[in-house]
Amino acid sequence: MDTKELLDLCSADQRDLDRRAALLKAGKTGLGMLFASLPFLSAGCAGIGKLVANDPKRATDVLNFALLLERREAEFYQIGLQTPGLVPASDRAVIEQIGRNEERHVVFLTTGITGIGGTPDTSTQFDHTGSGKFPDVFRDYKTFVKLAQTSEETGVRAYKGQAPFLMDSPTLLTAALRIHSAEGRHVAELRRLRGLKGWITDSEVTGTDARTYAGEGNTTHGGVNVSAVSKASNRALTEAFDEPLTRAQVMAIVSPFIRRTATTPS
Amino acid sequence: MHDTKAALQTMLTGQAAAPHVRRRSFLKFAGASALATAAAGLLPRTALAQSRSGAVSLGTGDTAVLNYAFTLEQLGLEFYTLALKSPYGGMSSRERQVLTDLRDHEIAHVDFYRAKLGSAGIPQLQFNFAAVNFGDRASVLTTARTLEDTGVSAYNGAGQLLRDPRNLAIAGKIVSVEARHAAIVHDLLQPRGNSFAGPGVIDSFGLDLADPPSQIMSRVKPYIVTQLDVSGLPRS
């Protein structure tokens, strides 16, 4: 793939991109391979910049962690949308849009990892029942949306926690921030579908795993105890700031949804 | 890019909303300037400075980026305060709740930045929302949508300008809340539609908006009366 093809991809229409995404998922094309050592897509085609990471191994590791979460989400929505009678017509536009965005995150991260000379890890397989804890995930829409909320919230917190590790590459950092806020949009709307506020109040327990909201009641940021300097209510103060999770914290929440296989790195 | 810098400075310091507003603003800052002069010996070098044109400087480096965010948070707070002061007819209880939450979150953000930046922080800015018809639901909600999408875009674009990981962490804590706001305002205008994360805000790679400060400032300039000197904002 040369620069012209890369630019073509930038101008690809939605259907074409969906096709590429499907091909990539099916493993029928080495799209990711083709991006190797080429300039990387930056600013979502607003411009093409060089992807420079001072520590490509660490960057690859961070991006593969993101890819794991995105692959799980993309597959989750794909199965949900393909399950007859699961997603009601009233919510279909929302779920379809989220699913589409997640598929694109998978494509983007896959090409990005390859672009910095890394190998995308696509070996992990998923158990969307959470090792049997949610057997009705694709039968009961309420369970489906609740799990969706939990994984999107976890995703937002995961990207937030990893962003500082991408600071030596402006391109990677910006891409991660742009995925991070997209996940923030997703979860707000999913919460809305459930009749919840779009923002997290204190360490609420509205998802499927309390750990997803652990620490969200924090009101000290950047060394400033905001509750001491603000006239906003404590409720508003906790809603106004989201909190990061470490990779270990994220993996503890996600691990029941990962099916261990012989090829899965431990 | 020198010409971009020059254009940006002209844009931000050249023409304010209306002559009388400019004069008032100038007088206000002339007063502030006298105070600043009196206190000059007490302030650190990075403290808020007034350029020769009388504009409020954002400072340099990470401070400038945080002051840039502070500017946008003040803008949002002013807007929601006005929207709730004279609510449009037929405002539903849910809409009132959302607008109230958004105002309260902006209060939290503004109070945070004021404390965080201390003497290096910009003062309370003056705004002009004459272009918004606060009696009209569509005018209020589309402005809210624009402000929230702009906030997301601004934080995403500014992340790479920060040098201190602790400041990046702060931006990260706030930007996802702005994204939540944006999605919910989109939902008020298009309930259960796809615009909250659709093609208008998410590109074909699934990436959210991200624009550099120059573009963001030109977008919000019509609402900001106070002259700002953004020349110290990092460019990369």
Side-chain angles (χ1 to χ4, degrees):
Chain A
M1 175 170 283
D2 59 18
T3 306
K4 187 188 168 296
E5 287 177 90
L6 201 63
L7 287 165
D8 286 346
L9 181 63
C10 290
S11 58
D13 66 22
Q14 187 171 309
R15 204 175 39 190
D16 188 40
L17 207 80
D18 287 341
R19 186 179 59 80
R20 286 165 194 258
L23 284 171
L24 187 72
K25 194 185 296 170
K28 285 178 186 156
T29 175
L31 179 67
M33 291 277 290
L34 294 168
F35 277 79
S37 69
L38 281 169
F40 185 66
L41 311 171
S42 85
C45 288
I48 291 183
K50 273 218 165 137
L51 188 154
V52 181
N54 292 338
D55 188 346
K57 269 191 183 156
R58 188 176 65 173
T60 296
D61 189 46
V62 170
L63 296 184
N64 262 324
F65 171 50
L67 180 61
L68 172 77
L69 304 178
E70 299 288 355
R71 285 181 61 243
R72 174 189 165 215
E73 289 183 329
E75 186 179 279
F76 174 85
Y77 293 111
Q78 191 190 37
I79 295 172
L81 286 162
Q82 284 172 356
T83 304
L86 179 70
V87 180
S90 60
D91 295 4
R92 202 149 179 101
V94 169
I95 303 298
E96 279 178 351
Q97 186 62 51
I98 296 175
R100 195 176 298 136
N101 292 346
E102 303 301 4
E103 288 193 0
R104 286 168 180 189
H105 293 163
V106 171
V107 175
F108 187 85
L109 290 168
T110 305
T111 54
I113 291 165
T114 312
I116 56 170
T119 304
D121 179 1
T122 56
S123 63
T124 314
Q125 293 186 305
F126 304 100
D127 174 357
H128 297 289
T129 70
S131 303
K133 197 175 175 192
F134 307 98
D136 59 351
V137 52
F138 297 123
R139 287 197 305 271
D140 183 344
Y141 182 64
K142 283 184 178 167
T143 304
F144 177 80
V145 181
K146 198 172 184 179
L147 278 165
Q149 177 190 329
T150 303
S151 62
E152 297 279 348
E153 295 281 26
T154 307
V156 172
R157 299 190 71 175
Y159 277 98
K160 209 186 307 294
Q162 295 302 304
F165 300 120
L166 295 171
M167 280 186 89
D168 69 7
S169 169
T171 305
L172 286 180
L173 172 64
T174 302
L177 290 175
R178 297 176 72 187
I179 297 178
H180 167 247
S181 64
E183 305 283 327
R185 288 176 186 268
H186 293 171
V187 76
E189 188 63 14
L190 288 165
R191 294 171 62 98
R192 163 73 187 129
L193 294 182
R194 297 189 65 215
L196 301 167
K197 285 184 177 188
W199 21 94
I200 303 164
T201 305
D202 213 330
S203 303
E204 61 176 41
V205 185
T206 55
T208 56
D209 189 328
R211 292 172 295 183
T212 302
Y213 293 107
E216 281 289 351
N218 175 39
T219 55
T220 296
H221 313 283
V224 176
N225 176 5
V226 189
S227 57
V229 299
S230 182
K231 55 190 174 294
S233 67
N234 190 64
R235 170 194 62 76
L237 287 179
T238 67
E239 291 172 352
F241 295 85
D242 282 346
E243 298 296 319
L245 284 178
T246 65
R247 183 168 172 167
Q249 288 173 313
V250 171
M251 289 311 295
I253 296 168
V254 171
S255 60
F257 298 88
I258 293 174
R259 196 193 306 276
R260 292 283 165 204
T261 65
T263 52
T264 303
S266 53
Chain B
M1 296 275 282
H2 209 72
D3 50 346
T4 311
K5 185 178 174 183
L8 190 64
Q9 278 174 333
T10 307
M11 190 170 68
L12 294 170
T13 59
Q15 341 118 347
H20 70 281
V21 180
R22 281 180 69 186
R23 199 170 128 262
R24 215 166 50 204
S25 165
F26 172 74
L27 289 173
K28 179 181 168 63
F29 285 105
S33 189
L35 266 179
T37 306
L42 307 171
L43 295 171
R45 279 184 69 125
T46 51
L48 160 71
Q50 300 230 321
S51 70
R52 280 189 205 114
S53 64
V56 171
S57 172
L58 300 189
T60 58
D62 276 19
T63 296
V65 179
L66 295 182
N67 267 323
Y68 164 60
F70 190 15
T71 299
L72 299 176
E73 299 291 354
Q74 286 194 29
L75 178 73
L77 174 53
E78 173 84 356
F79 171 74
Y80 292 115
T81 301
L82 292 172
L84 288 161
K85 197 172 277 177
S86 50
Y88 53 80
M91 184 183 283
S92 71
S93 58
R94 172 165 146 73
E95 287 165 357
R96 188 184 299 270
Q97 180 64 62
V98 168
L99 293 171
T100 302
D101 280 0
L102 267 48
R103 179 199 61 192
D104 292 351
H105 298 168
E106 305 302 12
I107 289 173
H109 294 162
V110 164
D111 289 343
F112 164 75
Y113 279 117
R114 190 183 296 111
K116 176 70 186 169
L117 285 157
S119 60
I122 54 169
Q124 171 65 49
L125 304 176
Q126 304 297 309
F127 301 99
N128 180 351
F129 279 103
V132 179
N133 178 359
F134 285 98
D136 179 56
R137 178 181 186 269
S139 178
V140 170
L141 294 184
T142 54
T143 304
R145 185 178 60 191
T146 301
L147 288 177
E148 297 298 342
D149 283 339
T150 300
V152 173
S153 184
Y155 274 101
N156 283 347
Q160 62 167 294
L161 304 178
L162 292 165
R163 290 293 167 264
D164 186 335
R166 292 170 297 185
N167 290 332
L168 178 66
I170 289 166
K173 284 166 176 247
I174 296 177
V175 64
S176 52
V177 175
E178 303 292 344
R180 292 170 191 270
H181 291 173
I184 295 304
V185 176
H186 273 273
D187 183 80
L188 289 178
L189 287 161
Q190 195 200 79
R192 301 195 181 204
N194 75 339
S195 87
F196 72 99
V201 292
I202 304 290
D203 73 9
S204 53
F205 296 93
L207 305 182
D208 207 331
L209 302 165
D211 285 312
S214 56
Q215 282 182 34
I216 298 293
M217 291 309 290
S218 68
R219 218 174 296 159
V220 299
K221 180 178 168 286
Y223 301 119
I224 305 179
V225 174
T226 307
Q227 293 174 28
L228 296 174
D229 174 3
V230 300
S231 60
L233 270 170
R235 272 147 212 287
S236 59

